[in-house]
Structure formats: C-alpha cells, structure tokens
Amino acid sequence: MSVDKQQLLQFLLRQGDNTLVLGHRVSEWCGHSPILEEDIALANTALDLIGQTQMWLGYAAEVQGEGKTADDLAFLRDAWDFRNVLLVEMPNGDFGQTLLRQFLFDAFQSVLMGRLMKSSDEQVAAIAAKASKEIAYHVERSADTVVGLGDGTEESHDRMQAALEYLWPYAGEMFESDDTDAAMAAAGVAPDPAGLREEYDALIGKVLGEATLTIPDSRYNHKGGRNGAMHTEHLGHLLTSMQWLQRAYPGCEW
Amino acid sequence: MTSASVEQVWEWLETIPDPEIPVITIVDLGIIRNVELHDETCVVSVTPTYSGCPATSMINMDIETKLRDCGLDKIEIKQQLAPAWTTDWMTDKARDALEKYGIAPPQPAGGPKRCPRCGGDHLEKLSQFGSTPCKAQWRCQDCLEPFEYFKCI
Ligand SMILES: [Zn+2]
C-alpha cells in the first residue's frame, strides 16, 4: 500500500518534534543539576534526543521535498507548526519532575520503537533501530531515578507524587490517534498509538508501584500538541530561546 | 587524480584516530562499514556510534582530509544507519588499547569486568553516563580510582 506523503510527513514531524522539544528542555539543565554526574547524564540524554531529531527531521525534510534540511525545520518554524505532544514542552520543574517527565516519555518511546523497528518504511525502521538502543538506556536510568526518588525520603516522595499529579494529564495524548495514525497503520509504517496503551500501562505501573507513587484516578487528557491544534504557552517561550540565533540573524551559519 | 585500490583506502583509514579516544582508530571502532570505488569516486560508508555523537562530523572531516592528503580528490562520505552500530564490531586490538588507556572495554554483561588500573573486580557504578555518549562512570573499590567504561550497545 502506498503512503500519502503529507501523512508520512506529519508522522515524521511528530517523532522529530517530540525529541527536539524534549532534547531542548533537558539541555536547560546543563550546568544546573544537583550533582556533576546527573548534569553529565542529562546533557548526554539531551544529546541523544537531538541526534534522534536529526534523523527524524532529516527524513521529514526529504519527504517534504522542498529542499529543506532538519535545521530549517527545527529553527524556521513557529509554534503552530510544531507537532510534539504537550508533555515534552512542559517546564522542567524540579529535578524529580524532569526525570518523571523523562520516564513517562521514555517508556512510551521504548514501546513504540519496538514496533517501528518492523516498519514497512525502511528508513523509519533504521531510525527506530538506532534510537531504540539509546532509549533502552534512557528508560533504565529514568525508571531507576523515579524509583530512587519516589521510594526515597518523605520530601522526595512528596515531590515525585506532586510531579506525577501535574504531569499525568499530559501522558494520555501520546495514545491519541487520528487520520494520520490510521494512514500509517494501514500502510504498515507505524502502529496505531491507541494500541500501545496496555503495554505502556503495564510498564509504568510496575515502576511507579516500586516507586511507591499513586497513579491519579483521572483519565482527563490535555491535548492539541501532536495535531497542532493548540500548544501550551510554554512552547513559544522555549522556541524564542532555542531559535533565538536564527531569528536575530536569519540564515546565520558557522 | 591518483587511483587507489579499496585495500589501499582501508589502510589509509586505519591510520585515522578516533577524535575523542585517540588510542583507537575509526576502523577499530567498527564504524567504517564499507569502502567502494565508483569510477573515480571513493565512497566511504560511515555509521554513527550514537545518533547525537558530536564526533561524527569531526570523523567525516578527518576521513576527507586524510584521503585528500593521500591524493584522492573525489570523495563521498555516506551515512549508513542500518544495521545500527554495536560495540560487537569493535576489534580486540581496540579493546586492549582502551584498557591500557584506562577505559574499561565493553562487556556483554553490561558492566566492566575489571578495573583498568589495578585489575580489581570490586566495582561500583557512579553514573550511566560519562564524558562522551559512549561511556559510563565507574569506580574501583580496591584502588578507589574512578574510571570510564565503554558502554556495550
Ligand atoms: Zn582499581
């Protein structure tokens, strides 16, 4: 079955914008982490995410066929063109909130990449195979940290529980599906995200349980990021920082 | 234009050190996946270690510089993603060189076998990450020295 180019482009932008925006968010910790090892770990995580972005957005630019590059897509689009889920644009908060957000995302990526490695699109499969090795490493670390802090002191536990309550309403958007997802599923490019929920819930349920954290009852979801309908105000602020150089000096290279 | 054989190009590539760990060459690291000669163009396929590894562009530049210095003028460097790089492709020579240099080589078990300084095997992990994307931080409880471990992927 042939793939609609516009739908494939949307799918690739969703992948690349997720890793780009989260990569930038995580990089904000550089030089500010509680200890040196964590600073290095966060910087490395950000680096992997930006590397994955180069692959996803590089392929997106190729599919788009307008002679653009991954850099053009990253730096020359405005907030309404971004297709990342709202979760990844949420502010860092404290260290625990950053790692909890990372865990909720890493867990999703680890489930998704397993499927994308079998994609009918060779390039998607190759990117997923490359990224999955890094993601396996990320989820191991973010899960360990969530358990360490959740099942830590009273203070760290309370902060992690508060972070979970704050971030939980943003987790559901990762499992939303629309026409693009239906087209990708029909062509064998990617699974329908809704079908990944059960595996995801099992994975995070185990870790959050070990972390002595309670998953909120509410299944209310904030959404609008992955379809571009409405981002949070936080994305615009992130972009003014990330895209500052290209906005101030258009076309600048070094 | 000087013509060269594929074997000759491999020999030249074998002299290029990894920019971050200069005791091993890029060939020993296992990231050069193929060398081909198409008409007069030398095509080198390189696979990244980690997708965001900043050394990748440096390595590409080093390859181009080296091959130009050796007299080739039509060079194409291709990025090859699949199959994804694995530390299994690192040569034994590179593993020995890493250990002598103070970096514990990758192990399938997922952690270093022994301290690269004293050979002790009472080891603890300090961090899953290190000074470059490919390394983690460990410490030896025998000699108390911290050391880097080349992650196994
Ligand atoms: Zn030792």
Side-chain angles (χ1 to χ4, degrees):
Chain A
M1 184 165 179
S2 75
V3 186
D4 181 278
K5 289 268 178 223
Q6 285 310 313
Q7 301 280 31
L8 179 60
L9 175 60
Q10 283 298 306
F11 166 77
L12 295 169
L13 289 175
R14 288 172 177 179
Q15 304 309 315
D17 288 348
N18 277 348
T19 51
L20 173 62
V21 172
L22 186 59
H24 187 82
R25 269 286 180 245
V26 174
S27 79
E28 291 170 358
W29 273 102
C30 202
H32 300 278
S33 302
I35 56 166
L36 189 59
E37 281 77 10
E38 293 305 331
D39 205 282
I40 291 169
L42 283 167
N44 270 287
T45 304
L47 194 60
D48 286 343
L49 289 166
I50 300 301
Q52 291 163 21
T53 304
Q54 285 174 334
M55 300 193 288
W56 289 122
L57 292 187
Y59 187 31
E62 198 185 312
V63 168
Q64 190 179 34
E66 294 174 11
K68 290 183 181 158
T69 64
D71 279 339
D72 293 333
L73 292 176
F75 296 115
L76 304 179
R77 285 180 301 151
D78 214 329
W80 47 79
D81 293 324
F82 275 75
R83 294 292 178 266
N84 58 280
V85 290
L86 302 179
L87 175 71
V88 297
E89 67 196 47
M90 297 314 283
N92 285 335
D94 60 22
F95 179 75
Q97 184 177 316
T98 294
L99 265 296
L100 186 67
R101 182 188 60 199
Q102 189 69 36
F103 172 64
L104 293 176
F105 181 72
D106 289 343
F108 176 74
Q109 290 289 85
S110 72
V111 174
L112 177 63
M113 289 306 137
R115 311 294 171 86
L116 292 186
M117 283 166 73
K118 296 172 218 143
S119 173
S120 62
D121 183 302
E122 273 180 29
Q123 184 69 2
V124 168
I127 295 171
K130 183 79 206 158
S132 71
K133 293 187 176 213
E134 295 162 3
I135 290 161
Y137 211 75
H138 293 172
V139 74
E140 187 187 322
R141 170 173 179 276
S142 57
D144 279 357
T145 315
V146 164
V147 171
L149 292 173
D151 187 19
T153 63
E154 196 180 328
E155 165 92 15
S156 72
H157 175 272
D158 290 351
R159 284 184 181 227
M160 291 307 275
Q161 186 61 43
L164 182 58
E165 275 157 34
Y166 176 67
L167 293 171
W168 185 247
Y170 294 93
E173 191 191 3
M174 297 187 285
F175 304 94
E176 288 287 315
S177 44
D178 60 10
D179 291 350
T180 296
D181 299 295
M184 292 304 103
V189 173
D192 181 342
L196 306 176
R197 182 88 208 213
E198 204 178 322
E199 195 178 336
Y200 179 81
D201 283 345
L203 174 58
I204 64 162
K206 187 173 164 284
V207 172
L208 295 175
E210 225 179 296
T212 68
L213 298 174
T214 311
I215 296 178
D217 279 335
S218 167
R219 277 238 170 179
Y220 173 75
N221 294 323
H222 292 291
K223 52 196 173 194
R226 77 193 293 276
N227 60 19
M230 190 166 60
H231 282 278
T232 67
E233 61 178 318
H234 307 298
L235 180 65
H237 291 277
L238 181 149
L239 295 183
T240 53
S241 162
M242 187 183 85
Q243 298 178 331
W244 179 83
L245 196 84
Q246 284 300 329
R247 288 173 187 242
Y249 303 97
C252 178
E253 283 183 54
W254 69 89
Chain B
M1 174 70 203
T2 314
S3 60
S5 65
V6 167
E7 290 71 30
Q8 178 67 70
V9 174
W10 274 105
E11 272 174 40
W12 288 331
L13 295 175
E14 270 164 33
T15 66
I16 304 175
D18 176 87
E20 284 170 340
I21 312 170
V23 291
I24 58 178
T25 75
I26 58 170
V27 172
D28 285 335
L29 191 57
I31 59 170
I32 307 294
R33 302 315 300 158
N34 198 25
V35 174
E36 278 175 32
L37 296 167
H38 290 302
D39 300 323
E40 293 190 338
T41 305
C42 175
V43 183
V44 182
S45 301
V46 186
T47 194
T49 50
Y50 284 78
S51 59
C53 184
T56 308
S57 59
M58 180 87 86
I59 289 169
N60 290 350
M61 208 164 70
D62 289 348
I63 294 171
E64 187 159 349
T65 307
K66 177 73 193 180
L67 298 184
R68 277 197 200 290
D69 288 350
C70 292
L72 299 186
D73 57 6
K74 285 185 185 164
I75 301 152
E76 190 189 328
I77 296 170
K78 281 211 290 205
Q79 181 180 253
Q80 185 182 320
L81 279 186
W85 179 77
T86 155
T87 35
D88 295 349
W89 294 343
M90 191 187 285
T91 62
D92 288 341
K93 185 175 131 233
R95 288 165 202 267
D96 292 346
L98 277 179
E99 192 166 26
K100 281 203 193 80
Y101 191 58
I103 299 171
Q107 300 293 339
K113 198 161 102 190
R114 58 176 181 241
C115 166
R117 294 177 196 280
C118 75
D121 58 4
H122 296 94
L123 312 172
E124 64 170 334
K125 183 166 73 182
L126 296 181
S127 170
Q128 272 164 304
F129 291 91
S131 61
T132 64
C134 58
K135 287 176 283 174
Q137 292 271 355
W138 283 68
R139 176 163 47 211
C140 171
Q141 289 164 323
D142 291 333
C143 70
L144 302 179
E145 287 291 329
F147 64 89
E148 288 193 303
Y149 164 63
F150 202 106
K151 299 185 315 209
C152 184
I153 67 165

